[in-house]
Amino acid sequence: MPTPAYALRFISGKYQGGEFPLRMEREIIVGRSSELDMVLVEDMVSRKHAKITTTGDQILIQDLGSTNGTFVNGEKIKKVRLKEGDRILIGTSIIKLVAVDSSQVVTEGEARQRLEATGQRRNVSGANKPMSGSIDEIPLPDLLQLLSTSRKSGVLSVRGEGGHGRIYLRKGQIYYSTIDDSYDLSPRKAAFRMLTWATGTFELEPPDEKSVLEEIQESTEALLMEGMRQLDEYRRIEPELPQREDPLGLANPLQPALRELQPAELDTLQLVINYGQFQAVLDRSPRTDLETATTLLALIQKDYVTVRQ
């Protein structure tokens, strides 16, 4: 069986789109110095930042005492074994270990030239953002974990299927978020909703210490854990839910007694009466999308609400 070929693919940052091949029984040094094997010219990369060693069936990465650290899948590392799909954060570059066709692998010299050309091209075009990329390539929860562990500050601008979201970070802590600058969604609810977006682009913009009325208090790690729990629960009930654009209304005739409803159910029923569409009910509800959808599903199953055709 032939030995698989691997490469480091840049999925975010100045060198996005570039690749660097990994040779077996080879050691490469990554850093800012022009004398190194893989040269990343940016302020947050140390002169000698990290070392990647391929030997036998192992690929190891080791931090070389860099100022800003080396991160693998959101964890700051000293030395760790890599596997296919792992994401490495060095400076503002997110790099993914990928399997490649051995017949398509270029030489290290060619790879260095291509990386340099990519960096220069993005500089000239103005596309050289501190950190940008696609959430198709790196899901938002994984990206936020990386930003949290590396204590990044800034505004993560996300353009996805649900609109234009912004997540505000202060030394890795998410303290505010919004979608389309809407005040209908609480910061926490907006963050949870963005975690469900599977396609779109992101860009880390400079910090913006805007004054906000309601800061998110829980840690980024706790927020992500709860967000992913809610996402799993939502996906479980999603097949039973109406489509987001579906119109909703009261059952007619309304047979069950209103006095049987709990306060949360009455609130959701009022939203159905006032706005008459599933997406609008989700947006206007003070509760999370999961809580609102679960309550609405119960109202449909109890014959208080119908999905209109």
Side-chain angles (χ1 to χ4, degrees):
M1 180 181 296
T3 303
Y6 293 97
L8 299 171
R9 177 175 296 162
F10 288 75
I11 60 175
S12 172
K14 179 178 181 178
Y15 301 96
Q16 183 183 348
E19 281 190 5
F20 194 92
L22 294 180
R23 308 286 184 188
M24 300 314 287
E25 310 302 328
R26 174 81 166 92
E27 176 181 286
I28 64 171
I29 306 295
V30 183
R32 200 172 64 244
S33 172
S34 60
E35 303 170 352
L36 302 181
D37 305 297
M38 185 195 293
V39 182
L40 305 181
V41 184
E42 58 170 291
D43 293 341
M44 293 187 67
V45 176
S46 296
R47 194 177 69 85
K48 286 188 176 181
H49 197 106
K51 177 173 68 175
I52 299 174
T53 307
T54 55
T55 176
D57 62 348
Q58 294 190 49
I59 303 174
L60 303 173
I61 184 168
Q62 178 181 350
D63 184 76
L64 297 178
S66 64
T67 301
N68 293 297
T70 301
F71 300 83
V72 175
N73 298 331
E75 298 292 332
K76 190 173 186 178
I77 61 99
K78 290 184 178 179
K79 186 176 183 179
V80 71
R81 181 176 178 178
L82 295 173
K83 63 182 183 301
E84 184 180 351
D86 281 349
R87 297 181 180 92
I88 305 159
L89 176 65
I90 295 178
T92 62
S93 290
I94 301 175
I95 309 164
K96 186 177 182 180
L97 179 65
V98 297
V100 294
D101 184 344
S102 57
S103 65
Q104 303 296 319
V105 174
V106 300
T107 67
E108 289 184 10
E110 289 175 301
R112 276 196 298 271
Q113 290 176 357
R114 290 182 183 182
L115 281 182
E116 182 179 356
T118 298
Q120 290 177 347
R121 186 167 59 250
R122 289 174 70 84
N123 276 333
V124 170
S125 68
N128 181 23
K129 306 297 183 181
M131 186 180 286
S132 61
S134 165
I135 57 177
D136 306 63
E137 188 78 63
I138 176 167
L140 206 50
D142 295 354
L143 175 61
L144 287 167
Q145 181 65 44
L146 279 172
L147 297 177
S148 172
T149 311
S150 55
R151 296 176 59 81
K152 291 283 192 294
S153 294
V155 182
L156 186 66
S157 174
V158 185
R159 297 183 184 273
E161 57 222 66
H164 182 194
R166 290 184 175 89
I167 299 174
Y168 293 75
L169 295 133
R170 186 189 295 126
K171 294 184 178 179
Q173 172 63 40
I174 297 173
Y175 68 91
Y176 187 70
S177 64
T178 180
I179 297 175
D180 294 331
D181 294 322
S182 171
Y183 291 104
D184 289 333
L185 303 180
S186 71
R188 194 168 179 266
K189 181 174 177 176
F192 287 156
R193 184 174 291 184
M194 276 184 270
L195 293 179
T196 70
W197 295 357
T199 62
T201 60
F202 69 85
E203 176 185 320
L204 184 63
E205 300 172 345
D208 176 10
E209 284 292 339
K210 65 181 294 182
S211 297
V212 298
L213 294 176
E214 180 185 354
E215 285 201 5
I216 296 171
Q217 298 299 321
E218 62 201 290
S219 69
T220 297
E221 182 180 25
L223 189 75
L224 291 177
M225 287 181 63
E226 175 60 16
M228 296 312 295
R229 183 196 70 81
Q230 291 198 20
L231 176 57
D232 287 344
E233 287 294 310
Y234 191 95
R235 285 175 174 166
R236 185 180 61 80
I237 66 171
E238 193 168 20
E240 304 175 69
L241 293 171
Q243 298 297 308
R244 294 293 182 104
E245 66 277 8
D246 281 350
L248 305 172
L250 285 178
N252 186 17
L254 184 62
Q255 299 287 356
L258 292 175
R259 64 175 176 270
E260 300 295 330
L261 294 177
Q262 300 298 315
E265 293 174 319
L266 283 170
D267 290 344
T268 304
L269 189 65
Q270 185 172 358
L271 291 172
V272 170
I273 295 169
N274 289 344
Y275 300 105
Q277 187 204 42
F278 183 32
Q279 183 65 62
V281 169
L282 290 175
D283 290 345
R284 297 286 181 166
S285 173
R287 297 176 175 84
T288 67
D289 286 347
L290 173 63
E291 293 166 337
T292 304
T294 301
T295 304
L296 178 66
L297 183 58
L299 290 172
I300 293 172
Q301 292 172 341
K302 294 176 183 178
D303 296 326
Y304 286 95
V305 172
T306 60
V307 181
R308 291 176 174 167
Q309 303 301 320

